Amino acid sequence: MFINHKKFKLHSIVLWKVIRDIWPKYYWLICITWWWLHLAYYLSKILKIKKIQNLNISSYSGRYYSRIKDITDWIELKKDKKYLIVDDLIDSWKTIELVLKKYSWLCKQLDIATLYHKWKAKKPDYFIEEVSPKERIEFYYEKDIDE
């Protein structure tokens, strides 16, 4: 499934509407790796959250899973604040599990928002669509610039 810019933006707005109905006031957004700044950008504008922290972590390399790599120096969380982790796609829960284990004790609340998720056993706090684990999702920003 290919997600073009128009569909991505529309789904970002739909995700915001899901969050808006029940969201606690988040101190800032934490996006996983730089690709997902697109989603964090849209949500930060709509939710009026001016702080975005980048968490450089991944368990995915191209079309294959690899061992989890976290090359983030440190993210500074405050004990009394709530944070929203933003990812465009959660397909194995490995990355999210590591993030929760590593950072959830540092703050009051750490929630997860994604556009799509493939994992059946666990669900993020906010999502738009559950897709088949076999479904290949390609986002407009993953395409080669020459295409």
Side-chain angles (χ1 to χ4, degrees), residues 1 65 89-91 116-120 129-137:
M1 170 178 8
Y65 291 100
L89 169 67
I90 297 175
D91 54 1
Y116 310 98
H117 81 97
K118 294 182 179 184
W119 193 250
K120 300 272 185 202
E129 189 176 332
E130 184 173 77
V131 295
S132 164
K134 295 179 182 182
E135 180 88 42
R136 168 86 174 125
I137 296 178

Side-chain angles (χ1 to χ4, degrees), residues 4-145:
N4 63 28
H5 184 259
K6 185 176 180 179
K7 186 173 183 178
F8 184 88
K9 191 172 180 179
L10 175 66
H11 282 184
S12 297
I13 292 167
V14 172
L15 181 61
W16 163 72
K17 288 179 180 179
V18 170
I19 294 169
R20 175 192 63 187
D21 292 339
I22 54 177
W23 76 296
K25 183 71 174 169
Y26 292 108
Y27 185 62
W28 65 25
L29 301 178
I30 301 170
C31 71
I32 297 179
T33 67
W34 70 274
W35 287 107
W36 296 274
L37 278 170
H38 295 258
L39 179 57
Y41 170 75
Y42 287 131
L43 290 178
S44 71
K45 287 191 69 86
I46 295 169
L47 294 172
K48 296 179 176 45
I49 299 172
K50 295 187 187 249
K51 295 181 179 185
I52 300 175
Q53 171 72 45
N54 183 42
L55 186 59
N56 199 351
I57 185 170
S58 179
S59 62
Y60 191 71
S61 176
R63 294 180 182 254
Y64 305 100
Y65 291 100
S66 60
R67 69 179 188 56
I68 297 175
K69 299 171 192 147
D70 182 357
I71 56 174
T72 304
D73 289 332
W74 182 251
I75 59 173
E76 188 177 325
L77 304 180
K78 297 183 182 208
K79 257 306 195 207
D80 62 335
K81 301 292 183 186
K82 299 173 185 177
Y83 298 87
L84 182 62
I85 303 254
V86 177
D87 200 346
D88 63 355
L89 169 67
I90 297 175
D91 54 1
S92 73
W93 202 259
K94 289 179 188 179
T95 303
I96 298 299
E97 198 169 65
L98 179 69
V99 169
L100 292 174
K101 181 179 175 184
K102 187 171 182 177
Y103 297 106
S104 64
W105 65 276
L106 294 170
C107 60
K108 182 177 181 178
Q109 186 172 333
L110 195 58
D111 291 338
I112 312 297
T114 187
L115 296 175
Y116 310 98
H117 81 97
K118 294 182 179 184
W119 193 250
K120 300 272 185 202
K122 296 180 184 180
K123 291 188 173 148
D125 299 291
Y126 311 105
F127 67 94
I128 297 301
E129 189 176 332
E130 184 173 77
V131 295
S132 164
K134 295 179 182 182
E135 180 88 42
R136 168 86 174 125
I137 296 178
E138 186 175 18
F139 294 93
Y140 69 94
Y141 45 80
E142 295 174 311
K143 297 287 273 179
D144 187 352
I145 200 159

